[in-house]
Amino acid sequence: VRLARLGYRCGTLLLPTMEEAPRHLGVWLRQRTRWLKGWIQTIFVHTRNPAALVRDLGWRRTALFHLALSAIVLSALCHPVFLVLLAVEFGRSVLGVSAAGAELAMLVIAIFNLAAGYTTYAFLAHEIARRNGRRVVPLLIGLPLYWLLISAAGWRAAWQFVFDPFRWEKTEHGLANSAT
């Protein structure tokens, strides 16, 4: 983002990496917490002066910045709220109580957010399964749990950003070559 704001063009290398995934949930959670905390910090740094961000990047690239970072962080934080809202509205509909006005609007937002998030990750899961010769169904079944774990990392990141800003949870690398 800093390079783009200075007028440089940035791109993505489309080569596979040899980065290894964490082997344990605790390590994975710390890694995702660190990533999300970094994105939160990046969002706050670059939106201190929104007019300057738009001036430096233009409207289109500013929108892409928020789509790439802000939307991911907000989705992670809002996911459990939307799940609870959906469950409450489902329970109300079973009891014959229908949503109206603001409740209906929030239900539509919740359904859209959940559908968009799950659909995006379903395409990702399909690609992962295709590249690794795995079955996609177990990955798809695990998506709701995965999103809840991402949400846990997001809330940990938000907490640390506010109350422990200098803490960066490191994760071990190079374990694939060890004899464990």
Side-chain angles (χ1 to χ4, degrees):
V1 178
R2 288 183 193 276
L3 292 173
R5 291 187 77 167
L6 292 171
Y8 293 96
R9 294 186 54 91
C10 302
T12 303
L13 297 175
L14 298 177
L15 299 173
T17 66
M18 296 303 175
E19 184 177 351
E20 57 191 284
R23 291 185 177 190
H24 304 286
L25 180 61
V27 176
W28 180 92
L29 187 63
R30 288 190 301 276
Q31 180 187 62
R32 294 317 191 273
T33 298
R34 185 180 69 245
W35 290 0
L36 284 158
K37 184 178 175 183
W39 294 341
I40 292 168
Q41 183 175 19
T42 301
I43 293 163
F44 273 84
V45 165
H46 289 287
T47 57
R48 282 185 195 142
N49 184 342
L53 181 64
V54 171
R55 184 181 61 246
D56 293 346
L57 295 181
W59 284 104
R60 181 178 169 273
R61 289 177 17 178
T62 298
L64 290 172
F65 164 80
H66 285 297
L67 186 62
L69 294 180
S70 303
I72 291 171
V73 171
L74 286 174
S75 292
L77 296 176
C78 291
H79 182 262
V81 175
F82 289 150
L83 276 180
V84 168
L85 179 64
L86 191 61
V88 166
E89 289 304 322
F90 178 76
R92 289 172 51 133
S93 70
V94 167
L95 296 174
V97 179
S98 61
E103 292 171 336
L104 186 59
M106 284 303 296
L107 182 60
V108 169
I109 291 170
I111 291 170
F112 173 79
N113 186 318
L114 293 170
Y118 289 173
T119 300
T120 301
Y121 275 69
F123 282 115
L124 180 62
H126 183 269
E127 184 62 19
I128 289 169
R130 185 186 68 76
R131 286 185 182 193
N132 297 314
R134 296 176 61 190
R135 294 183 43 171
V136 72
V137 172
L139 295 174
L140 294 177
I141 291 171
L143 278 178
L145 176 61
Y146 182 81
W147 267 89
L148 287 173
L149 291 171
I150 288 288
S151 292
W155 282 103
R156 288 182 82 238
W159 175 268
Q160 286 182 15
F161 182 77
V162 172
F163 296 106
D164 201 0
F166 301 107
R167 176 189 179 125
W168 293 95
E169 297 179 314
K170 305 292 183 183
T171 50
E172 294 181 16
H173 291 84
L175 299 176
N177 296 328
S178 66
T180 55

